[in-house]
Amino acid sequence: MHLISQLCFLLCAAALGNAVVLRPRDPVKYQLKTPPLDTPWTDKVGRSPWPQYPRPQLRRDVWNSLNGIWTYQAAAGAGDVEKSPPLLPYAEEVLIPSCIEGGISGLQKWGVTHMWFGTYFEIPQEWNSNERILLNFEAVDYEATVFVNNVRLGRNTGGYFRFTFDITDQVKRGQLNSLKVFVFDPTDDQSIPQGKQTKRLSHIFYTPCSGIWQTVWLESVPKNHITSVDISGGMDGQLNITVHSNTRQPTQVKVEIHGLESEYATQRWGFESDQLAKISVPGVKLWSPDSPKLYNITVKMGDDLVQTYTGFRTIKSEVVNGVRRPILNGKFLFQFGPLDQGYWPDGIHLPPTHEAMVWDLELIKGLGMNMVRKHIKIEPDLFYEACDRLGLLVIQDMVSMRVHTNARPSDAEQAEFERQLEIMVNEHKSYPSIVTWVIYNEGWGQRTDYFPEFKIVDRIRVLDPSRLIDAVTGWEDHGTGDFLDNHHYADPQCGTPYYSRLSSPYDQSRIGFQGEFGGLGHRPEDKHLWPVEGAVRTINETYEIHANTDSYNWRAHVLLDLLKQQIERYACSGAVYTQTTDVEGEVNGLVTYDRRFVRVDTQQWRTDIQALYSAAAGRA
């Protein structure tokens, strides 16, 4: 070790009460690995990534990001977590947050199922010593066991959800504190909610993500503090709000809504925490894709103060001129947008930067699309905030379970799937852009010895009565939920009296929807391809391959015109085009995987998409 590093390690070990055991060398220093394919933002990640406050609907002023350089090492197996955590530093430096399989992590490692991550941190001197210290993780894939100063705090299961520990009694102010995280990620070795992650790469299943892949941060809060705010505003100006506290003892809450019309300006209300409050807000403008109006809200409970926001809008299912439709703010709104996988060649599950993430969404919005289907993946909260601000409806899929075997989930696995689905709904039900929850995609991980989606639909309606539910998108439809949702490549079959294998005939009691179609492919220049042999070999499995972009865009025009005719003639109420970007061996994106080459003829697509909305208006 270098002398300074050696002294630091000795001091840290002594302060933490560890036996002093010097490692033979420093950790391997972090260096951005060259990914198989980069993006325009790969070299902009830096060493303090994702500095944005990670929970835009529960903002506080006093917080501290722990993102940056940590250390990492593989573990021997599951038993390692039952032993004393190994001493820091670990063998290699790693950038947090990241997937260890991605180049941004500095590791680019595959096939590791058990691993340790560690760092040191201090509590800022200016933080109030009478307050509690919270340690927050936005997402760790898949199972995380957390230690502070070698005290085991607990374990979290689920690769897409936030979790928090109160570490006040474990930290030492004015000293360095150690943070160690043991991660277990089975990917598809077990039946867990995993989405498209796989160790068995194939055409539509991709590189997995393991490790601490979203922001880690500290927060200072009063002893009695707000843990979450459930909030939804309707087109009638009614605001439903529940302020949850850590003590769950009813406490007086004061709410201010800002940015109302000048005659109202700021409105104030008072009510108690931990119970639903319904308040009437005067003079609101409604949120919609054409006018994504948001209102900032201040919530004060005792000594705790948080900032949040909402949009006022109502989504429901109603019959319009004899056809059941999705209704936004009292009007039939045809929904059109892409299947959005949310994969990146450099970051795998995590975009390299916030700017990169928003670039994808602005591309979608710029084509005139008003919706995005977030496909069997859950994004950082900042993604949904961006959709709120841009005016993009979100159809949010639950993350599917294992699909590489015909075995259906056991009762325990089904229960875990349903537990995590409830977490997804509860964590995201305050984002106005989300209008639909999807339970199952194409029968993946779906029980068919009985039909659990009936019970799940009923449960979601209790948790969140403000949205529609798509129980089954694709097939294995048994008649529940708000949609009859068909998949058909390349041409659509949207609310039509004809259908193909695996699909179901149109059900006039539900909304006719095209959950996936299109998928037109085009092999770009090699410099835009994911240069992994196994992926390249699968390119021709893309639903329909075109030799050039002229052919690609002509065929897209034909398909969009066919969709328009189905809107005019039948009961088509929305459609999802596959897909936003290429992903590994799939080359059917609006843009290539590296986000450097846009395939679509922008003006043509804008015109064709506007024609869909015009056709729908003619049926409204």
Side-chain angles (χ1 to χ4, degrees), residues 60 222-228 243-255 271-274 298-306:
R60 290 188 178 91
K223 292 179 181 178
N224 184 23
H225 58 269
I226 299 166
T227 56
S228 63
V243 177
H244 298 274
S245 69
N246 66 308
T247 62
R248 300 185 180 179
Q249 297 297 318
T251 305
Q252 188 65 20
V253 172
K254 295 180 180 178
V255 168
F271 51 88
E272 288 191 329
S273 68
D274 300 289
T298 301
V299 182
K300 191 173 191 303
M301 185 187 76
D303 294 328
D304 197 13
L305 186 147
V306 300

Side-chain angles (χ1 to χ4, degrees), residues 217-239:
W217 54 296
L218 299 172
E219 196 170 25
S220 179
V221 299
K223 292 179 181 178
N224 184 23
H225 58 269
I226 299 166
T227 56
S228 63
V229 178
D230 297 338
I231 188 167
S232 66
M235 63 178 291
D236 58 357
Q238 179 172 295
L239 188 71

Side-chain angles (χ1 to χ4, degrees), residues 457-614:
V457 165
D458 291 342
R459 178 59 179 154
I460 294 175
R461 293 207 195 281
V462 172
L463 293 172
D464 178 20
S466 70
R467 289 179 176 82
L468 302 177
I469 302 171
D470 191 344
V472 176
T473 175
W475 43 84
E476 297 289 356
D477 181 272
H478 304 116
T480 188
D482 295 303
F483 295 85
L484 190 287
D485 183 346
N486 180 27
H487 292 186
H488 192 253
Y489 291 98
D491 54 308
Q493 295 177 349
C494 183
T496 61
Y498 53 89
Y499 59 97
S500 301
R501 186 178 67 90
L502 298 177
S503 299
S504 301
Y506 170 61
D507 175 359
Q508 64 181 7
S509 69
R510 293 183 289 160
I511 297 166
F513 204 79
Q514 186 70 46
E516 295 179 27
F517 85 107
L520 303 178
H522 159 254
R523 178 172 177 151
E525 295 180 64
D526 286 352
K527 65 183 179 180
H528 301 301
L529 277 175
W530 179 250
V532 176
E533 183 183 355
V536 172
R537 281 202 308 266
T538 70
I539 284 176
N540 286 336
E541 295 178 28
T542 301
Y543 303 103
E544 182 177 298
I545 292 286
H546 289 259
N548 54 58
T549 55
D550 286 344
S551 173
Y552 168 90
N553 281 292
W554 170 79
R555 178 68 164 141
H557 170 71
V558 170
L559 295 186
L560 292 174
D561 187 65
L562 181 57
L563 183 66
K564 178 175 73 73
Q565 294 176 46
Q566 293 175 7
I567 297 168
E568 294 168 336
R569 186 177 181 88
Y570 299 120
C572 181
S573 292
V576 178
Y577 183 88
T578 302
Q579 58 187 339
T580 305
T581 75
D582 294 352
V583 186
E584 300 190 4
E586 281 194 277
V587 292
N588 52 4
L590 306 171
V591 63
T592 52
Y593 197 23
D594 61 359
R595 278 73 169 175
R596 295 181 190 275
F597 178 70
V598 178
R599 283 192 183 89
V600 294
D601 180 327
T602 302
Q603 188 54 55
Q604 175 201 301
W605 278 67
R606 285 175 179 162
T607 300
D608 289 343
I609 291 169
Q610 183 56 49
L612 304 179
Y613 303 141
S614 297

Side-chain angles (χ1 to χ4, degrees), residues 268-332:
R268 299 172 178 85
W269 291 268
F271 51 88
E272 288 191 329
S273 68
D274 300 289
Q275 53 189 295
L276 175 63
K278 296 183 178 183
I279 56 182
S280 181
V281 184
V284 297
K285 292 184 177 179
L286 302 186
W287 184 97
S288 72
D290 290 334
S291 180
K293 175 64 177 177
L294 299 173
Y295 290 93
N296 292 323
I297 300 175
T298 301
V299 182
K300 191 173 191 303
M301 185 187 76
D303 294 328
D304 197 13
L305 186 147
V306 300
Q307 302 289 341
T308 186
Y309 69 88
T310 195
F312 288 83
R313 58 99 182 106
T314 297
I315 182 79
K316 59 173 63 175
S317 170
E318 289 184 353
V319 174
V320 178
N321 292 335
V323 180
R324 185 154 293 277
R325 303 291 195 184
I327 304 298
L328 179 69
N329 299 335
K331 297 180 181 179
F332 166 40

Side-chain angles (χ1 to χ4, degrees), residues 404-418:
H404 293 286
T405 173
N406 291 326
R408 295 298 178 179
S410 67
D411 290 345
E413 290 165 344
Q414 179 68 29
E416 179 61 19
F417 172 81
E418 293 180 25

Side-chain angles (χ1 to χ4, degrees), residues 194-198 200-207 376 400 403-404 444 584 586:
Q194 69 192 64
K196 289 205 168 186
Q197 301 182 63
T198 184
R200 307 165 176 87
L201 293 180
S202 61
H203 183 54
I204 61 170
F205 297 97
Y206 321 124
T207 301
I376 53 177
S400 62
V403 299
H404 293 286
W444 298 354
E584 300 190 4
E586 281 194 277

